[in-house]
């Protein structure tokens, strides 16, 4: 069974630009969650999508948004990039049936904002 | 969400058992105890979880105190590949997000 894939793996942008990251979940998984990891704040939950609907949201500004497609693939978008958005962005997929389902993480996208 | 407390770091010798503690004194009756770990330059991976009884799988064992206010992840024979940050996380069936804390950074020395 193929794991969670994320593209691109590395990205360099400048302040003020926007960026779109992509996540393909494990086949059959309907939930996709996004996390931001920085040295200072650690791993923080961004949002979770289940069957194309945002089901949960973390405490991030509206510049961070996401969506999920009918095939469960998900994208997240960050607009008006700031230096502090430099981070590893991780996506995780799960069946999504219950809150305690195991989450399977991808390798992440390393975003650098200059 | 109920909080967990873990030591910042621990060190172990290769092929020795490792006991990683986690305190969760405000755990509720519906909270499951989950452990994830993150190896260097990788995304986190699931290790084990339990509710009340001790649990074993191919990766580790989870020992849960009778009052459930603490738990211990046990790696029976640490290998160099087990060097990672280990996160103890409380989850209930309504909480789809993983609330990662600082975790315990485990160093394994040959």
């Amino acid at each position: 069974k193929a794991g969670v894939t994320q593209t691109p793996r590395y990205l360099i942008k400048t302040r003020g630009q926007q960026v779109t990251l992509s996540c393909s979940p494990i086949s059959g998984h309907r939930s996709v969650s996004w996390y931001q990891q920085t040295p200072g704040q650690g791993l923080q939950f961004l949002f979770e999508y289940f069957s194309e609907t945002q089901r949960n949201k973390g405490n991030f500004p509206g510049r961070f948004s996401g969506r999920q497609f009918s095939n469960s693939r998900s994208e997240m978008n960050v607009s008006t990039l700031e230096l502090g958005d430099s981070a590893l962005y991780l996506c995780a997929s799960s069946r999504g049936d219950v809150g305690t389902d195991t989450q399977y993480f991808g390798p992440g996208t390393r975003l650098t904002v200059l | 969400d109920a909080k967990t407390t873990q030591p910042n770091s621990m060190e172990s010798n290769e092929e020795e058992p490792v006991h990683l503690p986690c305190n969760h004194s405000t755990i509720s009756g519906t909270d499951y105890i989950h452990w994830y770990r993150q190896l260097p330059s990788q995304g986190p991976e699931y290790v084990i979880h339990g509710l009340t009884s001790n649990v074993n799988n191919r990766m580790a064992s989870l020992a849960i105190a009778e009052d459930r206010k603490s738990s211990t992840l046990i790696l029976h024979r640490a290998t160099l590949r087990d060097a990672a940050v280990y996160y103890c996380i409380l989850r209930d069936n309504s909480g789809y997000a993983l609330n990662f804390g600082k975790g315990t950074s485990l160093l394994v020395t040959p």
Side-chain angles (χ1 to χ4, degrees), chain A residues 4-93:
Chain A
V4 177
T5 58
Q6 293 186 244
T7 56
R9 293 292 311 278
Y10 301 91
L11 207 47
I12 299 175
K13 292 285 188 179
T14 56
R15 277 182 299 174
Q17 286 187 309
Q18 74 161 15
V19 67
T20 299
L21 312 181
S22 180
C23 172
S24 292
I26 291 171
S27 177
H29 284 188
R30 294 189 296 165
S31 169
V32 173
S33 298
W34 288 89
Y35 295 83
Q36 181 196 64
Q37 185 170 29
T38 60
Q41 299 298 319
L43 273 155
Q44 293 185 287
F45 170 73
L46 281 156
F47 30 65
E48 183 242 358
Y49 286 86
F50 179 78
S51 293
E52 301 180 65
T53 301
Q54 187 181 86
R55 186 166 59 175
N56 289 275
K57 189 176 187 307
N59 189 26
F60 277 81
R63 299 185 298 107
F64 293 82
S65 63
R67 60 177 175 168
Q68 186 180 35
F69 302 96
S70 58
N71 62 358
S72 293
R73 191 177 69 85
S74 177
E75 289 181 346
M76 69 162 280
N77 184 276
V78 188
S79 63
T80 319
L81 283 167
E82 301 177 359
L83 295 179
D85 297 333
S86 293
L88 180 67
Y89 290 88
L90 291 155
C91 137
S93 80

Side-chain angles (χ1 to χ4, degrees), chain B residues 25-42:
Chain B
S25 59
T26 59
I27 190 171
S28 75
T30 57
D31 283 334
Y32 287 75
I33 302 156
H34 285 243
W35 285 81
Y36 281 73
R37 71 179 185 180
Q38 186 173 22
L39 280 66
S41 302
Q42 294 188 26

Side-chain angles (χ1 to χ4, degrees), chain B residues 67-94:
Chain B
D67 63 5
R68 301 210 324 127
K69 294 184 186 299
S70 66
S71 60
T72 302
L73 178 70
I74 303 166
L75 307 179
H76 296 285
R77 288 184 70 212
T79 68
L80 296 178
R81 198 193 170 278
D82 291 321
V85 178
Y86 287 79
Y87 298 95
C88 170
I89 302 167
L90 301 183
R91 306 181 70 194
D92 64 30
N93 280 330
S94 66

Side-chain angles (χ1 to χ4, degrees), chain B residues 17 20 22 44 48 52 58 60 72 74-75 78 80 88 92 97 104 106:
Chain B
L20 297 163
C22 180
I48 199 167
T52 56
R58 63 173 182 81
T72 302
I74 303 166
L75 307 179
L80 296 178
C88 170
D92 64 30
T104 296
L106 175 65

